[in-house]
Amino acid sequence: MIKNFCNNLLVDTLSLALLNLNFPDMLPHTLERNPRRDNLDLQMVSPFIDRLTDFLDRSPTPWHAVANVSELLERAGFVRLDERSAWALETGAAYFVVRSDGALVAWRQPTDVVGWTIFGAHTDSPNLRVRPEPIMKKEGYFQLGLEVYGGVLLSTWFDRDLSFAGRVAIANEGSVLSELVDFKRAVGMIPNLAIHLDRDANSGRKINPHEELPMILSRAEKDADLNFRELLAREMDRSPEEISGFEICAYPVETSQVIGLEGDFLASARLDNLLSCFIVAEALIQNDGAEGTMIVLNDHEEIGSVSTSGADGPFLESILRRATIEADFERVRVNSLMISIDNAHGIHPNYASKHDEGHRPLLNEGPVVKVNANHRYATTAITQGIIEQAAERADVPLQYFSSRADLGCGSTIGPLTAGRLGIDTIDLGCAQFAMHSARETCGTKDPELMLKLLTQLTQRDLI
Ligand code: ZN
């Protein structure tokens, strides 16, 4: 019966294989199967995409992302340095520094520092964050008060299975330690209102974040009490007295997945901008001969970058100065190049008029160069020239994004770094759909095309 169905629809052999592979899913014992694994069995995606999806799923918060990149770096032989200590850097060695748990700089120490090639990305994503005194009891339910972090596409957070993760300050004999926590399982949801109770829901619904976002955690009996610090303590196997502060994010528990008839797309939370974080980390790790290559992963991009670990803070400059040993920093600075990588808006066929006619990036057609006359993106004629030549040598296609003249465009860490450090900068990114949704989509080919381009740039022969 399945075969006839396929023939009728002229489904190709790949789809037929998918149907056959999925057939056992009808049996109860196969419920634990991860659909992404089926795609991998069919070799629809590369090992790189497999590693990427693993990283995305393990990184529900900026702090988890930095911990996971740190682990990757340590496994590749990078040495962790403490900003509070004196450093004795050795040429040819590889180092990294973490600041405030959410930002990281890593590099390969050059024999002779001429200039740095810096790949930058940001670790934070728009999301919903738990308030300091979050528990509410309302209409027979325990609810959790949430604040909006960054430019969240709010409607996408409704009717999702949500969990919590974040970092917790642990009191430790007069000092404070930072520890990560991840509940991993779905602990709540923000249900939509039935359409019968809001007949205008499909015609321009407005969301009041204060009234409509409190998350439902459980039923609440009349005399019952709930304490969020106690919840955290139980999850972390600690006493409530040890919990002396927290930054906790809500996140959807659904894992990332390769989707599309031909496996063209990758759907996941936090693609903006953990996709770029993973690519730049791979570019540094895979190129062990690339002396003078540095990566910076900044926190707080989605809320303006002004912080100790944001791109408008002193982190990168501080590390650059310390890593530029026995050389004139000012000369090294002007010999350096910053490549800021953050996702770009791929054209959505249902909303094509939102893009300028000449600048309509497609998923899986290569890295997008972002240009803006008002310098919301830092790309200049010269850095554009460098990237075009690098792309030609690497045999990687490029696309351009320039927003409609009547639509403002976003910005990223590129202009901030260019402005703070005076380093020539280019803004690049992989095209994606639904930026700032709880579930974003990018192409499965673009991440490796971007990696190939960055690998070419580590050669420094164009800078
Ligand atoms: Zn971004």
Side-chain angles (χ1 to χ4, degrees):
M1 191 195 96
I2 288 177
K3 210 168 186 180
N4 284 341
F5 172 69
C6 292
N7 286 340
N8 289 344
L9 289 178
L10 296 175
V11 177
D12 63 22
T13 48
L14 185 65
S15 308
L16 187 61
L18 261 172
L19 279 171
N20 283 335
L21 268 173
N22 284 333
F23 185 66
D25 277 348
M26 294 175 193
L27 301 171
H29 74 272
T30 58
L31 285 176
E32 282 176 20
R33 286 176 57 150
N34 179 348
R36 185 158 62 79
R37 286 286 146 197
D38 290 344
N39 288 341
L40 294 172
D41 291 345
L42 288 168
Q43 297 181 330
M44 290 168 81
V45 295
S46 65
F48 179 83
I49 294 291
D50 188 30
R51 290 203 304 282
L52 166 64
T53 51
D54 187 51
F55 172 73
L56 292 166
D57 294 341
R58 284 171 192 267
S59 307
T61 75
W63 315 294
H64 286 82
V66 165
N68 290 325
V69 170
S70 301
E71 197 183 322
L72 290 173
L73 290 167
E74 272 172 343
R75 279 195 203 160
F78 283 69
V79 177
R80 186 179 185 133
L81 298 173
D82 187 335
E83 280 195 272
R84 290 165 296 193
S85 307
W87 298 348
L89 302 176
E90 289 176 20
T91 58
Y95 301 100
F96 72 100
V97 177
V98 170
R99 186 182 278 198
S100 302
D101 298 326
L104 177 148
V105 173
W107 70 99
R108 293 189 180 279
Q109 190 67 36
T111 315
D112 183 20
V113 188
V114 180
W116 294 94
T117 305
I118 308 162
F119 301 138
H122 65 88
T123 57
D124 60 324
S125 306
N127 61 19
L128 305 177
R129 299 204 171 186
V130 179
R131 295 176 184 280
E133 300 290 349
I135 300 293
M136 300 182 281
K137 200 172 174 182
K138 205 172 165 188
E139 305 295 340
Y141 292 91
F142 279 124
Q143 288 187 269
L144 196 74
L146 298 165
E147 265 192 298
V148 179
Y149 176 91
V152 177
L153 205 47
L154 291 174
S155 63
T156 64
W157 284 77
F158 288 79
D159 294 340
R160 287 193 186 268
D161 309 338
L162 299 174
S163 188
F164 308 129
R167 65 170 178 164
V168 178
I170 304 291
N172 180 44
E173 293 172 0
S175 65
V176 175
L177 301 174
S178 174
E179 204 171 293
L180 299 187
V181 63
D182 184 354
F183 280 63
K184 288 186 178 159
R185 63 195 182 280
V187 292
M189 72 284 186
I190 309 168
N192 264 302
L193 183 63
I195 195 158
H196 316 75
L197 305 180
D198 179 11
R199 291 290 178 190
D200 298 327
N202 289 333
S203 50
R205 173 189 174 196
K206 270 205 175 106
I207 297 169
N208 179 320
H210 191 74
E211 302 293 337
E212 298 181 55
L213 291 183
M215 184 197 294
I216 295 178
L217 294 176
S218 69
R219 277 295 324 278
E221 298 301 327
K222 223 176 185 179
D223 303 322
D225 216 8
L226 192 63
N227 181 302
F228 191 69
R229 289 188 185 217
E230 279 173 15
L231 281 182
L232 281 178
R234 202 188 318 149
E235 195 66 23
M236 299 175 77
D237 233 354
R238 291 192 173 273
S239 68
E241 296 71 42
E242 288 179 287
I243 311 291
S244 53
F246 57 81
E247 288 173 86
I248 302 290
C249 310
Y251 76 92
V253 291
E254 189 180 8
T255 55
S256 53
Q257 184 162 204
V258 172
I259 60 171
L261 192 59
E262 306 288 347
D264 284 336
F265 312 116
L266 171 62
S268 173
R270 306 174 297 279
L271 285 173
D272 174 15
N273 191 22
L274 294 187
L275 172 64
S276 310
C277 290
F278 187 75
I279 296 170
V280 302
E282 285 275 325
L284 183 66
I285 290 167
Q286 288 185 15
N287 295 288
D288 56 3
E291 287 187 358
T293 302
M294 183 176 272
I295 65 169
V296 57
L297 307 182
N298 283 118
D299 200 356
H300 302 135
E301 190 270 352
E302 301 293 357
I303 51 165
S305 294
V306 183
S307 74
T308 55
S309 50
D312 206 12
F315 186 37
L316 177 60
E317 182 174 356
S318 164
I319 305 301
L320 262 182
R321 286 187 182 277
R322 293 182 75 173
T324 305
I325 43 176
E326 294 169 17
D328 176 358
F329 180 74
E330 292 306 319
R331 286 173 59 199
V332 169
R333 186 177 59 75
V334 292
N335 263 323
S336 298
L337 178 70
M338 169 83 181
I339 300 104
S340 152
I341 302 151
D342 199 353
N343 295 351
H345 301 296
I347 188 165
H348 187 319
N350 299 353
Y351 305 92
S353 64
K354 295 290 181 186
H355 278 65
D356 176 69
E357 284 79 0
H359 305 89
R360 300 188 155 189
L362 290 166
L363 273 58
N364 288 333
E365 289 294 329
V368 180
V369 181
K370 298 191 262 184
V371 181
N372 179 254
N374 295 297
H375 225 61
R376 301 278 292 161
Y377 300 127
T379 310
T380 65
I382 303 304
T383 57
Q384 188 183 322
I386 291 171
I387 217 75
E388 289 226 350
Q389 288 184 68
E392 201 179 314
R393 288 188 193 181
D395 195 24
V396 169
L398 285 182
Q399 314 182 76
Y400 278 88
F401 177 77
S402 164
S403 60
R404 280 180 62 113
D406 55 1
L407 265 183
C409 74
S411 189
T412 181
I413 63 171
L416 295 171
T417 311
R420 274 194 74 89
L421 289 172
I423 292 178
D424 283 339
T425 300
I426 183 153
D427 271 304
L428 284 180
C430 293
Q432 71 156 100
F433 293 138
M435 193 176 286
H436 292 192
S437 167
R439 187 84 171 165
E440 302 175 319
T441 307
C442 68
T444 41
K445 295 187 183 77
D446 288 327
E448 281 165 282
L449 289 171
M450 181 67 86
L451 178 63
K452 210 171 157 194
L453 179 61
L454 299 191
T455 298
Q456 181 67 44
L457 284 160
T458 63
Q459 306 305 309
R460 284 197 60 82
D461 51 352
L462 292 164
I463 302 163

